[in-house]
Amino acid sequence: MELSVIIPTYNRASLVSRVVRAFLAEANRGEEIDFEVIVVDDGSSDDTAERLSAIQDPRLRLVHQPNQKLAAARNRGLQEARGAYVLFNDDDIIPEPGFLRAHLEAHRLYPGSAIVSRVRVPDGVARTPFQRYWQARLHAGTDPLKPGQVLGKGGFWSASISFSRRDLPDRPFGEFPAYGWEEHELGLRLWRQGVRPRFWPKAQAWHHDPVSLEGMLEKWRSMGRMAWKFYAAHKSLEVAFWTGANPLSLWLKRWLYPWNRAERLLADRFWEEQEGASSKYRFLLEAAYTRGLIEGRSA
């Protein structure tokens, strides 16, 4: 088998079924690819199982497990995979036609690489001021990139990324207890063994996640807490300063991004419709990360 698509999901029945149908539609466009789609249902309490069971396609396999978080679900999917290449794809990222072929093409051009999809946010999802900010931020980070460009140690963007199966250990993702840094921890290990993440814009997909400021602040706060777990796994100056998990960075961040200022911004959000909102969003995200760093250090 050429390729296994691994989709971890939790309580996103409607969206994950759209993602799965988009992948399975590749065959209907004349794409002769031997692939499978593995959905790991990480303890969903909605009708995920019912919706996916209604899709009658032998290439689809549904795996159930108790809720163990994203890294564990990805690892479970890899255990089930039979493909020479594996593509990890989040349950809210819908591929464009030719997506799988583009990933396989890139692997043949760049053996020993991880292939990173070009993920964009559709205008229909960017309705609020923060959603428009997040869309612009994501696109500004990827639009200048060239096909095949190496992204660096932090470029193993696991929202949609493929690997040669032989480059991955059996349980590649460290099972962090909360959101944050698990893909970077894997990326650092892979980088050290010579694997390079490469951007491949021909593999384009659309991120249908209507993000909120509140939800993203909680994610960044969680990342701050998990920074210490990343550092505990790789005790080096490189990781300490990459994550801020060291006394000097923590002191500086506490001074630059005080949470009491963040609370004032969140109490009255009139500024979101004004010029300069982007800088305030950046401050809030950094303040949430710093708050998590403080919490994680004392945990």
Side-chain angles (χ1 to χ4, degrees):
M1 179 172 288
E2 285 184 278
L3 178 63
S4 297
V5 179
I6 299 169
I7 305 172
T9 191
Y10 177 71
N11 282 350
R12 277 186 161 175
S14 178
L15 192 49
V16 73
S17 61
R18 290 175 60 195
V19 174
V20 167
R21 291 181 188 278
F23 276 112
L24 295 177
E26 291 290 281
N28 298 331
R29 301 185 186 101
E31 294 282 356
E32 295 181 2
I33 301 172
D34 185 16
F35 73 99
E36 63 181 352
V37 177
I38 302 167
V39 178
V40 181
D41 181 2
D42 192 37
S44 295
S45 58
D46 63 3
D47 61 341
T48 292
E50 290 79 7
R51 287 189 183 231
L52 293 179
S53 296
I55 301 174
Q56 299 299 310
D57 192 303
R59 294 166 301 174
L60 173 63
R61 287 196 285 149
L62 182 58
V63 178
H64 301 278
Q65 67 175 27
N67 183 251
Q68 299 175 49
K69 307 302 181 187
L70 180 58
R74 287 173 172 156
N75 286 340
R76 176 66 186 280
L78 184 64
Q79 291 173 359
E80 299 285 338
R82 297 173 293 188
Y85 298 95
V86 292
L87 168 68
F88 294 98
N89 197 89
D90 283 358
D91 62 0
D92 53 9
I93 294 180
I94 299 178
E96 285 196 348
F99 183 83
L100 297 180
R101 177 63 64 199
H103 270 273
L104 291 173
E105 174 190 32
H107 279 289
R108 293 181 183 118
L109 288 171
Y110 303 106
S113 297
I115 304 304
V116 179
S117 310
R118 183 188 192 192
V119 177
R120 298 181 65 78
V121 176
D123 290 340
V125 175
R127 295 189 178 96
T128 69
F130 180 74
Q131 288 168 352
R132 291 191 290 271
Y133 160 76
W134 196 252
Q135 179 194 48
R137 176 180 173 130
L138 175 65
H139 293 182
T142 58
D143 284 350
L145 299 175
K146 306 298 183 185
Q149 182 172 332
V150 175
L151 298 174
K153 294 176 185 177
F156 290 84
W157 302 336
S158 58
S160 185
I161 187 171
S162 64
F163 303 89
S164 169
R165 179 65 181 84
R166 65 175 177 269
D167 289 332
L168 293 174
D170 289 337
R171 298 179 67 82
F173 291 94
E175 296 186 8
F176 286 46
Y179 175 87
W181 291 108
E182 62 266 25
E183 65 190 56
H184 301 85
E185 192 275 330
L186 170 61
L188 181 60
R189 283 186 280 124
L190 292 176
W191 184 276
R192 288 172 175 173
Q193 74 182 45
V195 178
R196 296 294 180 262
R198 293 181 182 272
F199 182 69
W200 197 242
K202 288 176 68 175
Q204 180 161 294
W206 293 91
H207 196 187
H208 287 258
D209 180 18
V211 297
S212 68
L213 176 58
E214 293 79 6
M216 198 57 66
L217 290 177
E218 189 52 44
K219 280 190 170 183
W220 279 58
R221 182 179 176 185
S222 180
M223 284 180 64
R225 292 194 296 265
M226 291 301 101
W228 299 98
K229 182 172 177 62
F230 185 13
Y231 175 68
H234 301 274
K235 290 187 176 180
S236 64
L237 286 176
E238 177 184 33
V239 174
F241 282 93
W242 186 3
T243 62
N246 66 86
L248 178 60
S249 295
L250 189 56
W251 174 84
L252 183 62
K253 286 178 177 292
R254 292 179 78 157
W255 180 69
L256 289 173
Y257 308 111
W259 186 250
N260 59 353
R261 184 189 167 198
E263 288 179 319
R264 291 195 296 271
L265 287 171
L266 291 170
D268 190 349
R269 291 166 60 173
F270 68 91
W271 49 268
E272 288 189 276
E273 299 289 354
Q274 297 180 349
E275 187 176 349
S278 293
S279 63
K280 292 181 174 61
Y281 285 134
R282 288 193 294 271
F283 171 85
L284 286 169
L285 293 169
E286 290 291 347
Y289 185 84
T290 301
R291 188 182 186 192
L293 271 178
I294 296 168
E295 295 168 344
R297 187 187 189 192
S298 59

